[in-house]
Every structure is written in C-alpha cells, then in structure tokens.
mmCIF file of all heavy atoms in Angstrom:
data_model
loop_
_atom_site.group_PDB
_atom_site.id
_atom_site.type_symbol
_atom_site.label_atom_id
_atom_site.label_comp_id
_atom_site.label_asym_id
_atom_site.label_seq_id
_atom_site.Cartn_x
_atom_site.Cartn_y
_atom_site.Cartn_z
ATOM 1 N N HIS Y 1 -2.511 -31.555 13.873
ATOM 2 C CA HIS Y 1 -3.736 -31.052 13.730
ATOM 3 C C HIS Y 1 -3.798 -29.519 14.103
ATOM 4 O O HIS Y 1 -4.327 -28.713 13.499
ATOM 5 C CB HIS Y 1 -4.876 -31.800 14.605
ATOM 6 C CG HIS Y 1 -5.413 -32.961 13.996
ATOM 7 N ND1 HIS Y 1 -5.361 -34.305 14.539
ATOM 8 C CD2 HIS Y 1 -5.932 -33.288 12.683
ATOM 9 C CE1 HIS Y 1 -5.824 -35.182 13.723
ATOM 10 N NE2 HIS Y 1 -6.208 -34.615 12.638
ATOM 11 N N MET Y 2 -3.182 -29.368 15.279
ATOM 12 C CA MET Y 2 -3.075 -27.859 15.713
ATOM 13 C C MET Y 2 -2.333 -27.122 14.816
ATOM 14 O O MET Y 2 -2.690 -25.904 14.462
ATOM 15 C CB MET Y 2 -2.458 -27.809 17.134
ATOM 16 C CG MET Y 2 -2.830 -26.484 17.893
ATOM 17 S SD MET Y 2 -4.634 -26.029 18.036
ATOM 18 C CE MET Y 2 -5.052 -27.253 19.280
ATOM 19 N N GLN Y 3 -1.255 -27.607 14.218
ATOM 20 C CA GLN Y 3 -0.475 -26.713 13.243
ATOM 21 C C GLN Y 3 -1.402 -26.542 11.966
ATOM 22 O O GLN Y 3 -1.322 -25.384 11.385
ATOM 23 C CB GLN Y 3 0.738 -27.487 12.817
ATOM 24 C CG GLN Y 3 1.682 -26.778 11.866
ATOM 25 C CD GLN Y 3 2.164 -25.396 12.603
ATOM 26 O OE1 GLN Y 3 2.682 -25.450 13.682
ATOM 27 N NE2 GLN Y 3 2.000 -24.383 11.871
ATOM 28 N N GLN Y 4 -2.133 -27.487 11.531
ATOM 29 C CA GLN Y 4 -3.034 -27.309 10.429
ATOM 30 C C GLN Y 4 -4.018 -26.252 10.670
ATOM 31 O O GLN Y 4 -4.246 -25.329 9.802
ATOM 32 C CB GLN Y 4 -3.731 -28.574 10.107
ATOM 33 C CG GLN Y 4 -4.646 -28.496 8.864
ATOM 34 C CD GLN Y 4 -5.613 -29.709 8.787
ATOM 35 O OE1 GLN Y 4 -5.990 -30.348 9.710
ATOM 36 N NE2 GLN Y 4 -5.797 -30.121 7.468
ATOM 37 N N LEU Y 5 -4.521 -26.145 11.936
ATOM 38 C CA LEU Y 5 -5.540 -25.128 12.172
ATOM 39 C C LEU Y 5 -4.817 -23.751 12.271
ATOM 40 O O LEU Y 5 -5.346 -22.675 11.864
ATOM 41 C CB LEU Y 5 -6.257 -25.401 13.537
ATOM 42 C CG LEU Y 5 -7.318 -24.410 14.008
ATOM 43 C CD1 LEU Y 5 -8.369 -24.181 12.924
ATOM 44 C CD2 LEU Y 5 -7.919 -24.885 15.379
ATOM 45 N N SER Y 6 -3.572 -23.698 12.913
ATOM 46 C CA SER Y 6 -2.919 -22.441 12.974
ATOM 47 C C SER Y 6 -2.427 -21.970 11.643
ATOM 48 O O SER Y 6 -2.660 -20.727 11.265
ATOM 49 C CB SER Y 6 -1.540 -22.737 13.795
ATOM 50 O OG SER Y 6 -0.886 -21.606 13.871
ATOM 51 N N ASP Y 7 -2.115 -22.827 10.671
ATOM 52 C CA ASP Y 7 -1.929 -22.409 9.329
ATOM 53 C C ASP Y 7 -3.100 -21.817 8.642
ATOM 54 O O ASP Y 7 -3.020 -20.829 7.945
ATOM 55 C CB ASP Y 7 -1.301 -23.617 8.473
ATOM 56 C CG ASP Y 7 0.042 -24.024 8.884
ATOM 57 O OD1 ASP Y 7 0.753 -23.263 9.650
ATOM 58 O OD2 ASP Y 7 0.450 -25.178 8.559
ATOM 59 N N PHE Y 8 -4.266 -22.411 8.904
ATOM 60 C CA PHE Y 8 -5.477 -21.995 8.292
ATOM 61 C C PHE Y 8 -5.825 -20.573 8.878
ATOM 62 O O PHE Y 8 -6.316 -19.688 8.182
ATOM 63 C CB PHE Y 8 -6.649 -22.907 8.621
ATOM 64 C CG PHE Y 8 -7.930 -22.544 7.971
ATOM 65 C CD1 PHE Y 8 -8.122 -22.639 6.537
ATOM 66 C CD2 PHE Y 8 -9.041 -22.048 8.769
ATOM 67 C CE1 PHE Y 8 -9.328 -22.295 6.002
ATOM 68 C CE2 PHE Y 8 -10.266 -21.839 8.128
ATOM 69 C CZ PHE Y 8 -10.322 -21.874 6.728
ATOM 70 N N CYS Y 9 -5.478 -20.362 10.162
ATOM 71 C CA CYS Y 9 -5.723 -18.945 10.705
ATOM 72 C C CYS Y 9 -4.848 -17.908 10.036
ATOM 73 O O CYS Y 9 -5.355 -16.818 9.672
ATOM 74 C CB CYS Y 9 -5.298 -18.963 12.225
ATOM 75 S SG CYS Y 9 -6.360 -19.754 13.398
ATOM 76 N N LEU Y 10 -3.636 -18.329 9.772
ATOM 77 C CA LEU Y 10 -2.643 -17.296 9.056
ATOM 78 C C LEU Y 10 -3.163 -17.064 7.685
ATOM 79 O O LEU Y 10 -3.193 -15.917 7.155
ATOM 80 C CB LEU Y 10 -1.259 -17.881 9.056
ATOM 81 C CG LEU Y 10 -0.623 -18.003 10.414
ATOM 82 C CD1 LEU Y 10 0.813 -18.669 10.228
ATOM 83 C CD2 LEU Y 10 -0.314 -16.585 10.999
ATOM 84 N N GLN Y 11 -3.656 -18.087 6.954
ATOM 85 C CA GLN Y 11 -4.087 -17.992 5.563
ATOM 86 C C GLN Y 11 -5.352 -17.067 5.545
ATOM 87 O O GLN Y 11 -5.487 -16.200 4.715
ATOM 88 C CB GLN Y 11 -4.399 -19.274 4.990
ATOM 89 C CG GLN Y 11 -3.122 -20.195 4.750
ATOM 90 C CD GLN Y 11 -3.581 -21.697 4.556
ATOM 91 O OE1 GLN Y 11 -4.745 -22.011 4.340
ATOM 92 N NE2 GLN Y 11 -2.552 -22.546 4.619
ATOM 93 N N SER Y 12 -6.228 -17.293 6.537
ATOM 94 C CA SER Y 12 -7.487 -16.551 6.670
ATOM 95 C C SER Y 12 -7.177 -15.052 6.920
ATOM 96 O O SER Y 12 -7.791 -14.119 6.375
ATOM 97 C CB SER Y 12 -8.462 -17.056 7.718
ATOM 98 O OG SER Y 12 -8.752 -18.451 7.302
ATOM 99 N N ASP Y 13 -6.170 -14.964 7.816
ATOM 100 C CA ASP Y 13 -5.871 -13.445 8.278
ATOM 101 C C ASP Y 13 -5.166 -12.857 7.107
ATOM 102 O O ASP Y 13 -5.532 -11.553 6.897
ATOM 103 C CB ASP Y 13 -4.899 -13.511 9.500
ATOM 104 C CG ASP Y 13 -4.678 -12.154 10.032
ATOM 105 O OD1 ASP Y 13 -5.658 -11.463 10.562
ATOM 106 O OD2 ASP Y 13 -3.495 -11.681 9.901
ATOM 107 N N ASP Y 14 -4.348 -13.511 6.251
ATOM 108 C CA ASP Y 14 -3.806 -12.897 5.077
ATOM 109 C C ASP Y 14 -4.904 -12.501 4.096
ATOM 110 O O ASP Y 14 -4.846 -11.429 3.510
ATOM 111 C CB ASP Y 14 -2.837 -13.841 4.431
ATOM 112 C CG ASP Y 14 -1.575 -14.026 5.241
ATOM 113 O OD1 ASP Y 14 -1.244 -13.201 6.125
ATOM 114 O OD2 ASP Y 14 -0.804 -15.087 5.039
ATOM 115 N N ARG Y 15 -5.873 -13.311 3.957
ATOM 116 C CA ARG Y 15 -6.993 -13.012 3.038
ATOM 117 C C ARG Y 15 -7.805 -11.776 3.518
ATOM 118 O O ARG Y 15 -8.112 -10.788 2.734
ATOM 119 C CB ARG Y 15 -7.944 -14.177 2.930
ATOM 120 C CG ARG Y 15 -9.258 -13.918 2.145
ATOM 121 C CD ARG Y 15 -9.062 -13.428 0.817
ATOM 122 N NE ARG Y 15 -10.364 -13.268 0.124
ATOM 123 C CZ ARG Y 15 -10.488 -12.490 -0.950
ATOM 124 N NH1 ARG Y 15 -9.421 -11.883 -1.623
ATOM 125 N NH2 ARG Y 15 -11.617 -12.400 -1.523
ATOM 126 N N TRP Y 16 -7.931 -11.694 4.873
ATOM 127 C CA TRP Y 16 -8.658 -10.467 5.473
ATOM 128 C C TRP Y 16 -7.825 -9.192 5.227
ATOM 129 O O TRP Y 16 -8.374 -8.195 4.878
ATOM 130 C CB TRP Y 16 -8.826 -10.791 6.948
ATOM 131 C CG TRP Y 16 -9.399 -9.575 7.655
ATOM 132 C CD1 TRP Y 16 -10.647 -8.976 7.695
ATOM 133 C CD2 TRP Y 16 -8.563 -8.616 8.508
ATOM 134 N NE1 TRP Y 16 -10.722 -7.903 8.496
ATOM 135 C CE2 TRP Y 16 -9.531 -7.683 9.023
ATOM 136 C CE3 TRP Y 16 -7.244 -8.615 8.823
ATOM 137 C CZ2 TRP Y 16 -8.993 -6.529 9.813
ATOM 138 C CZ3 TRP Y 16 -6.791 -7.566 9.646
ATOM 139 C CH2 TRP Y 16 -7.675 -6.588 10.070
ATOM 140 N N ARG Y 17 -6.524 -9.317 5.398
ATOM 141 C CA ARG Y 17 -5.693 -8.195 5.203
ATOM 142 C C ARG Y 17 -5.734 -7.733 3.668
ATOM 143 O O ARG Y 17 -5.608 -6.611 3.400
ATOM 144 C CB ARG Y 17 -4.305 -8.498 5.671
ATOM 145 C CG ARG Y 17 -4.123 -8.595 7.135
ATOM 146 C CD ARG Y 17 -2.705 -8.806 7.583
ATOM 147 N NE ARG Y 17 -2.653 -9.144 8.993
ATOM 148 C CZ ARG Y 17 -2.814 -8.293 9.943
ATOM 149 N NH1 ARG Y 17 -2.758 -6.899 9.668
ATOM 150 N NH2 ARG Y 17 -2.747 -8.594 11.266
ATOM 151 N N GLU Y 18 -5.817 -8.705 2.762
ATOM 152 C CA GLU Y 18 -5.865 -8.399 1.354
ATOM 153 C C GLU Y 18 -7.140 -7.686 1.071
ATOM 154 O O GLU Y 18 -7.059 -6.638 0.272
ATOM 155 C CB GLU Y 18 -5.885 -9.718 0.480
ATOM 156 C CG GLU Y 18 -5.957 -9.603 -0.909
ATOM 157 C CD GLU Y 18 -6.127 -10.982 -1.581
ATOM 158 O OE1 GLU Y 18 -5.498 -11.919 -1.127
ATOM 159 O OE2 GLU Y 18 -6.843 -10.986 -2.679
ATOM 160 N N LEU Y 19 -8.234 -7.977 1.707
ATOM 161 C CA LEU Y 19 -9.568 -7.262 1.440
ATOM 162 C C LEU Y 19 -9.435 -5.930 2.126
ATOM 163 O O LEU Y 19 -9.897 -4.921 1.485
ATOM 164 C CB LEU Y 19 -10.654 -8.055 2.101
ATOM 165 C CG LEU Y 19 -10.990 -9.387 1.416
ATOM 166 C CD1 LEU Y 19 -11.932 -10.295 2.305
ATOM 167 C CD2 LEU Y 19 -11.625 -9.085 -0.051
ATOM 168 N N THR Y 20 -8.933 -5.851 3.242
ATOM 169 C CA THR Y 20 -8.998 -4.540 4.099
ATOM 170 C C THR Y 20 -7.971 -3.562 3.575
ATOM 171 O O THR Y 20 -8.027 -2.274 3.821
ATOM 172 C CB THR Y 20 -8.860 -4.740 5.565
ATOM 173 O OG1 THR Y 20 -7.687 -5.384 5.877
ATOM 174 C CG2 THR Y 20 -9.990 -5.595 6.061
ATOM 175 N N ASP Y 21 -6.933 -4.075 2.943
ATOM 176 C CA ASP Y 21 -5.817 -3.147 2.424
ATOM 177 C C ASP Y 21 -6.426 -2.208 1.339
ATOM 178 O O ASP Y 21 -5.848 -1.152 1.059
ATOM 179 C CB ASP Y 21 -4.701 -3.859 1.790
ATOM 180 C CG ASP Y 21 -3.703 -4.369 2.847
ATOM 181 O OD1 ASP Y 21 -3.860 -3.895 4.048
ATOM 182 O OD2 ASP Y 21 -2.871 -5.268 2.534
ATOM 183 N N GLU Y 22 -7.581 -2.601 0.781
ATOM 184 C CA GLU Y 22 -8.228 -1.659 -0.250
ATOM 185 C C GLU Y 22 -8.899 -0.523 0.411
ATOM 186 O O GLU Y 22 -9.275 0.477 -0.262
ATOM 187 C CB GLU Y 22 -9.208 -2.547 -1.093
ATOM 188 C CG GLU Y 22 -8.567 -3.727 -1.757
ATOM 189 C CD GLU Y 22 -9.668 -4.512 -2.399
ATOM 190 O OE1 GLU Y 22 -10.853 -4.248 -2.261
ATOM 191 O OE2 GLU Y 22 -9.291 -5.580 -3.058
ATOM 192 N N LEU Y 23 -9.022 -0.483 1.790
ATOM 193 C CA LEU Y 23 -9.813 0.543 2.359
ATOM 194 C C LEU Y 23 -8.784 1.717 2.835
ATOM 195 O O LEU Y 23 -7.630 1.445 2.908
ATOM 196 C CB LEU Y 23 -10.459 -0.031 3.626
ATOM 197 C CG LEU Y 23 -11.428 -1.056 3.504
ATOM 198 C CD1 LEU Y 23 -11.887 -1.657 4.799
ATOM 199 C CD2 LEU Y 23 -12.725 -0.617 2.686
ATOM 200 N N PRO Y 24 -9.317 2.880 3.093
ATOM 201 C CA PRO Y 24 -8.379 3.939 3.568
ATOM 202 C C PRO Y 24 -7.835 3.578 4.877
ATOM 203 O O PRO Y 24 -8.352 2.838 5.665
ATOM 204 C CB PRO Y 24 -9.493 5.141 3.765
ATOM 205 C CG PRO Y 24 -10.684 4.892 2.947
ATOM 206 C CD PRO Y 24 -10.706 3.374 2.870
ATOM 207 N N ALA Y 25 -6.593 4.073 5.144
ATOM 208 C CA ALA Y 25 -5.867 3.697 6.406
ATOM 209 C C ALA Y 25 -6.814 4.104 7.634
ATOM 210 O O ALA Y 25 -7.312 5.270 7.644
ATOM 211 C CB ALA Y 25 -4.504 4.338 6.460
ATOM 212 N N GLY Y 26 -6.763 3.231 8.576
ATOM 213 C CA GLY Y 26 -7.524 3.492 9.791
ATOM 214 C C GLY Y 26 -8.997 3.211 9.685
ATOM 215 O O GLY Y 26 -9.750 3.571 10.688
ATOM 216 N N HIS Y 27 -9.416 2.697 8.690
ATOM 217 C CA HIS Y 27 -10.899 2.487 8.384
ATOM 218 C C HIS Y 27 -11.348 1.484 9.579
ATOM 219 O O HIS Y 27 -10.639 0.631 9.987
ATOM 220 C CB HIS Y 27 -11.218 1.855 7.125
ATOM 221 C CG HIS Y 27 -12.641 1.687 6.660
ATOM 222 N ND1 HIS Y 27 -13.399 0.654 7.151
ATOM 223 C CD2 HIS Y 27 -13.402 2.352 5.864
ATOM 224 C CE1 HIS Y 27 -14.625 0.772 6.685
ATOM 225 N NE2 HIS Y 27 -14.683 1.847 5.863
#
C-alpha cells in the first residue's frame, strides 16, 4: 500500500513538472 502511494506521489510530481516546465525558469 505504501509503495502504491509513493508511486502516485512520483506520478503526480511528474505531472506537476510537466505543467511548470512551460513557465519561465525560476517562476
């Protein structure tokens, strides 16, 4: 269960980075 939640954290963080990569550096 904890691994499942940890994997979801990584997937969500990857999605956040995908969104924020579109912004100017240091935004």
Side-chain angles (χ1 to χ4, degrees):
H1 278 125
M2 195 58 74
Q3 185 61 51
Q4 182 188 33
L5 182 58
S6 182
D7 290 343
F8 186 67
C9 286
L10 292 174
Q11 294 163 13
S12 299
D13 187 65
D14 286 344
R15 170 60 177 159
W16 171 79
R17 292 181 187 280
E18 177 185 329
L19 292 167
T20 58
D21 280 347
E22 301 174 0
L23 299 172
H27 190 282

